[in-house]
Amino acid sequence: MEKEQGKADSTCIHKALAELKKVQDFINQADIPYFGKMFSKLVGVDTIPFSLYTEDGKLIITGIDKDPCGTAASFKTSYFRIEDLDEKSGCATISLLRPLCICGKNDHSCCKILVLKRTDTCVKVDVTCICAIQCIDIDLLKRKIIIEPKW
């Protein structure tokens, strides 16, 4: 019985990710007659950020991104963007969003995150291992970190 319940849960997660991808693709690709790509300009982002949960809690993945100086920097994140969904394998390809605090440093605490930065790091996740999905505020993708000098 437990196996059947797990299968139903993964089907729900797969459907939720498919819906999320559909909306994200609409934002990016909708070409409205007479107005063009107005919808994506209105929304101001091309990503719908989300977190994934397993039986052990929030899924956290380590990734690598380039810092402003061009040096590779490692970071941990629990914030993602859906890139692709494979019906046959039941896997989702997600890209990692790098959480940054006011100082521009990596910060994993939800309360301290000022910006979620898109990265090129992608991973495949087995959807059957996911118990829940939670969408995150898209405003975290639109903020700019501006640090003014003290004097």
Side-chain angles (χ1 to χ4, degrees):
M1 182 69 177
E2 285 181 18
K3 203 160 211 153
E4 290 177 20
Q5 180 66 31
K7 183 88 166 158
D9 290 344
S10 68
T11 302
C12 291
I13 297 297
H14 196 277
K15 285 180 182 178
L17 286 170
E19 286 296 313
L20 194 62
K21 176 131 179 58
K22 190 186 325 181
V23 171
Q24 187 173 275
D25 288 348
F26 177 77
I27 290 170
N28 293 313
Q29 298 168 0
D31 196 3
I32 302 164
Y34 307 109
F35 297 107
K37 303 259 184 207
M38 180 182 77
F39 194 69
S40 64
K41 291 175 188 170
L42 284 172
V43 175
V45 296
D46 64 350
T47 299
I48 299 173
F50 60 90
S51 291
L52 296 172
Y53 293 84
T54 66
E55 288 181 2
D56 298 327
K58 218 177 219 189
L59 179 65
I60 299 172
I61 299 175
T62 301
I64 296 180
D65 186 31
K66 294 206 177 344
D67 64 15
C69 300
T71 311
S74 113
F75 67 96
K76 289 185 179 194
T77 188
S78 57
Y79 305 100
F80 312 106
R81 176 186 199 275
I82 186 77
E83 298 295 338
D84 192 31
L85 205 52
D86 187 354
E87 294 279 337
K88 290 180 184 177
S89 70
C91 289
T93 302
I94 56 175
S95 60
L96 308 185
L97 300 175
R98 184 178 180 184
L100 299 169
C101 70
I102 188 74
C103 302
K105 300 199 187 272
N106 297 335
D107 201 318
H108 200 60
S109 169
C110 190
C111 300
K112 294 181 183 177
I113 294 174
L114 183 66
V115 174
L116 290 174
K117 179 186 173 219
R118 274 189 67 182
T119 69
D120 293 331
T121 306
C122 290
V123 295
K124 278 195 175 196
V125 176
D126 183 355
V127 176
T128 61
C129 298
I130 305 301
C131 299
I133 181 171
Q134 178 185 12
C135 288
I136 308 297
D137 187 358
I138 63 170
D139 286 339
L140 289 173
L141 294 161
K142 297 192 273 187
R143 295 182 188 165
K144 302 283 185 218
I145 297 178
I146 300 171
I147 302 172
E148 294 187 16
K150 188 175 180 179
W151 41 84

